[in-house]
Amino acid sequence: FTTDMADAVDAYSGLLDDVWDGNAAQAAHLTFISITTSMRKAADMLDIAAKGYDDVAQGLYGVAKDVGNLVQTLIDLLIAAGISAAATAAGSWTLIGAAIGTAATYYGITKIVSTIQKILAVLESAVTFVDTFTDVVLGALGSAGDWHSIDIPDAFHNNLVH
């Protein structure tokens, strides 16, 4: 939008140059150049911010896929632990069956806990990533000065007109 507005100001100020001469025309021409330069600078900064936020969104999409994969693994482990516990109960009439089943169930539960810890670590990393990258984008915009300000000249005051 900002670039389109700058292009429109350039195009229409060019039309004024065709029909307007003198000091006022020159001052207007310089004013329009200043305005379009400021507008393009603002557009460039907004493009930088947009790219930064797009990068954050793409990164979070990857995190969501990773979390989805880990949740699927967690579900598989829960099913396996349930089957193992059921097999332990069914095989508990022999001491060896109970020992093997208990060990398998314990192993399954430790894998479940490990997977939950991985999910939490991925989510924690995602929050850190978003916080850091958002700060970087905002820092870039903040350090760029008054890129969002566009100097518009004061209105001409004609003393003859009241």
Side-chain angles (χ1 to χ4, degrees), residues 59-135:
L60 287 179
Y61 176 74
V63 168
K65 287 174 60 175
D66 290 344
V67 169
N69 291 335
L70 287 170
V71 168
Q72 184 61 49
T73 300
L74 179 62
I75 291 168
D76 292 344
L77 289 170
L78 287 168
I79 291 169
I83 292 169
S84 178
T88 300
S92 64
W93 58 275
T94 67
L95 198 51
I96 279 286
I100 292 173
T102 301
T105 303
Y106 175 77
Y107 175 77
I109 290 171
T110 59
K111 292 298 282 182
I112 289 169
V113 170
S114 172
T115 302
I116 290 171
Q117 289 171 336
K118 286 179 186 175
I119 291 171
L120 294 175
V122 167
L123 292 175
E124 184 179 333
S125 296
V127 169
T128 302
F129 169 74
V130 169
D131 286 347
T132 302
F133 207 83
T134 301
D135 289 346

Side-chain angles (χ1 to χ4, degrees), residues 26-80:
Q26 181 62 26
H29 178 72
L30 294 176
T31 297
F32 289 135
I33 289 173
S34 173
I35 289 171
T36 57
T37 301
S38 296
M39 292 173 81
R40 285 193 172 84
K41 181 179 178 185
D44 290 344
M45 293 306 296
L46 290 172
D47 286 342
I48 290 169
K51 173 150 182 10
Y53 285 117
D54 185 60
D55 290 345
V56 170
Q58 293 297 325
L60 287 179
Y61 176 74
V63 168
K65 287 174 60 175
D66 290 344
V67 169
N69 291 335
L70 287 170
V71 168
Q72 184 61 49
T73 300
L74 179 62
I75 291 168
D76 292 344
L77 289 170
L78 287 168
I79 291 169

